Amino acid sequence: MPTQAPLLLRHHRPFIAFWLARVFTASGFQMLTVAIGWNLYQLTGNVLDLGLVGLVEFAPRVLFMLHTGHVADRYDRRKVAAICQSLQAMIALALAIGSATDHVTREMIFILAFLLGAARSFEMPTTQALLPTIVPNALFPRAVAASQSAQQSATIVAPALGGLLYAFGSVWVYGPTVILYLIACTLMLNLPARQILLNKGKATLDSLLAGIRFIRSRPDILGAISLDLFAVLLGGATALLPVFAKDILLTGPWGLGLLRSAPAVGALLMSLWLARFAVERNVGRIMFTAVGVFGVATIAFGLSTSFWFSLAVLVVLGAADMISMVIRASFVQLETPDEMRGRVSAVNGLFIGASNQLGEFESGLTAHWFGTVPAVVMGGIGTLLVTGTWIKLFPTLAQRDRMHVPVAEPQTSMESAKPATPMSPQP
């Protein structure tokens, strides 16, 4: 299993370009996030603003939710992804110029955060839909694993690098980020054109609701997705890391970068473990246990005053979150028929965005009301309460043994409509 990525990189040149584009894009976003968070907190010193940035970045996902998947299916995905990456490069360039001329303001950061969220809202489903057209079906699971490793590796290295560069000035973060996005854009445009554009219809509300209706008809899928939504929504403390780094753990931008990288270290290590030792039995119990560990780790982080203990707790938090994410993704992929996967993925993406961006807003708001430490501790307690409640609400999910249990298909209407074989006349 650990050799999956090298195997793909050796034998599939288009995947090399795609994999590197994902590395550069993820690295650029992580560096940009670190710089924006620290820059904004330096400007205003208001923890509520850190939460508002998450809300502003999430807003485009709701506003354009009817169009993101439609665009990915109707237009050349390479060009859509490249346009999104070019827009993100321009956002980083605007911040670099503003920093160099000392013209970065709170309002400017919020406007650019909205544009960043809009670009990512279209880029994420597009690149997800692009991957199956690059590699053969037999290697698709390996390609997904390798793509995830690129994402986690960038999440580990880039925030620490961004924090280190910020020590020399914010322009030293924004400038290299422009280059990373432009390289990713070039790699995307050089991918082979293999997409068959079949979707000529208009995006409609009913098209989105079809995915929602399907999820509601599958209690285990609904339970897995909503559990992750509320657990991360309540327990996420990412938006408050600048406050912990500066005011509680008494470190600087470099320390903030390490704090942001720590969950990804745990996630990467756990993903390697799960690739070698896959979860095959007691998946429901394991998922709920992982979410419970996530809540306990959140409480421990909120109460910690030691930088190194906080790093260790964040590693555990990231590992637990990876277990939940892998099981949830397996439910969505294995329990959903192919003709519904696009619409279900759009709804799932909205849930993921809500848990991340709205979680940042929730963290900033509760920190503004109750204080930073109480907000994180309350969030961890809320995660534990949600876990216990979901065990009661979705008992089949909690008791589920395997990832996928094939269900015998009922006789199709075509088959039932066939005339019965005439009986031979009796002599």
Side-chain angles (χ1 to χ4, degrees):
M1 287 290 184
T3 61
Q4 287 176 347
L7 178 65
L8 283 164
L9 297 179
R10 284 200 305 269
H11 295 289
H12 299 279
R13 291 184 179 180
F15 182 76
I16 297 177
F18 179 87
W19 189 84
L20 289 174
R22 296 298 301 139
V23 170
F24 290 131
T25 301
S27 299
F29 176 71
Q30 293 295 332
M31 292 173 63
L32 203 56
T33 300
V34 169
I36 287 176
W38 193 270
N39 202 344
L40 182 61
Y41 192 58
Q42 278 188 323
L43 283 172
T44 69
N46 190 345
V47 294
L48 182 59
D49 284 341
L50 297 177
L52 287 174
V53 168
L55 182 63
V56 168
E57 286 185 13
F58 175 71
R61 189 165 298 194
V62 177
L63 294 175
F64 306 129
M65 64 181 177
L66 289 177
H67 305 285
T68 53
H70 181 72
V71 167
D73 289 336
R74 187 171 184 181
Y75 300 101
D76 189 330
R77 291 167 183 155
R78 303 169 307 154
K79 294 180 180 178
V80 173
I83 290 172
C84 294
Q85 291 155 359
S86 298
L87 176 58
Q88 291 172 83
M90 288 188 286
I91 291 170
L93 179 61
L95 287 167
I97 294 173
S99 297
T101 58
D102 198 23
H103 282 85
V104 175
T105 64
R106 174 179 180 271
E107 291 72 22
M108 175 184 178
I109 289 178
F110 281 133
I111 292 172
L112 294 178
F114 179 86
L115 294 176
L116 180 64
R120 286 177 56 80
S121 294
F122 283 90
E123 180 193 15
M124 292 175 67
T126 300
T127 52
Q128 289 173 1
L130 182 62
L131 182 56
T133 67
I134 297 175
V135 298
N137 291 339
L139 286 177
F140 181 65
R142 296 185 180 187
V144 173
S147 180
Q148 186 63 28
S149 72
Q151 178 78 23
Q152 295 301 332
S153 298
T155 305
I156 293 170
V157 176
L161 178 60
L164 181 62
L165 291 175
Y166 199 99
F168 298 97
S170 57
V171 69
W172 287 92
V173 184
Y174 297 133
T177 301
V178 176
I179 298 173
L180 292 175
Y181 278 122
L182 292 179
I183 294 174
C185 175
T186 303
L187 290 169
M188 279 291 177
L189 291 175
N190 285 324
L191 292 175
R194 295 175 180 171
Q195 180 183 359
I196 301 175
L197 301 175
L198 298 176
N199 182 12
K200 302 298 183 181
K202 295 182 178 180
T204 63
L205 180 60
D206 186 65
S207 176
L208 175 69
L209 293 179
I212 297 176
R213 286 193 296 267
F214 178 83
I215 291 175
R216 289 184 61 185
S217 70
R218 299 296 192 276
D220 285 0
I221 295 179
L222 175 62
I225 293 176
S226 58
L227 173 66
D228 179 80
L229 165 65
F230 288 105
V232 177
L233 178 66
L234 295 173
T238 304
L240 301 179
L241 288 181
V243 185
F244 276 91
K246 185 173 185 293
D247 299 336
I248 297 175
L249 302 177
L250 305 179
T251 183
W254 184 74
L256 172 61
L258 289 179
L259 290 172
R260 291 192 65 93
S261 299
V265 171
L268 179 60
L269 293 176
M270 182 53 67
S271 67
L272 294 176
W273 174 269
L274 293 175
R276 185 71 179 269
F277 304 101
V279 177
E280 297 180 351
R281 307 296 299 270
N282 299 317
V283 295
R285 185 187 307 170
I286 292 173
M287 184 181 68
F288 278 102
T289 301
V291 177
V293 172
F294 180 90
V296 172
T298 300
I299 296 172
F301 174 76
L303 296 175
S304 173
T305 57
S306 166
F307 176 74
W308 296 109
F309 180 74
S310 296
L311 280 179
V313 169
L314 288 176
V315 169
V316 173
L317 183 147
D321 188 47
M322 175 57 66
I323 296 174
S324 173
M325 184 180 70
V326 167
I327 295 177
R328 183 186 71 251
S330 298
F331 279 134
V332 173
Q333 292 179 2
L334 296 176
E335 299 289 322
T336 305
D338 185 63
E339 65 270 15
M340 290 292 300
R341 281 179 182 154
R343 282 165 287 182
V344 171
S345 296
V347 178
N348 188 33
L350 183 64
F351 274 53
I352 293 173
S355 64
N356 292 328
Q357 272 74 45
L358 287 183
E360 293 183 5
F361 174 69
E362 180 272 337
S363 297
L365 187 62
T366 53
H368 178 72
W369 286 344
F370 305 108
T372 302
V373 171
V376 174
V377 173
M378 289 167 57
I381 295 173
T383 298
L384 295 178
L385 293 176
V386 166
T387 303
T389 303
W390 256 237
I391 291 175
K392 299 294 185 181
L393 291 177
F394 301 95
T396 59
L397 176 60
Q399 299 164 10
R400 193 179 182 97
D401 185 46
R402 295 184 180 275
M403 289 282 190
H404 178 56
V405 180
V407 178
E409 293 293 332
Q411 188 181 38
T412 64
S413 58
M414 294 270 306
E415 292 171 340
S416 60
K418 288 181 180 179
T421 304
M423 296 178 63
S424 57
Q426 296 295 327

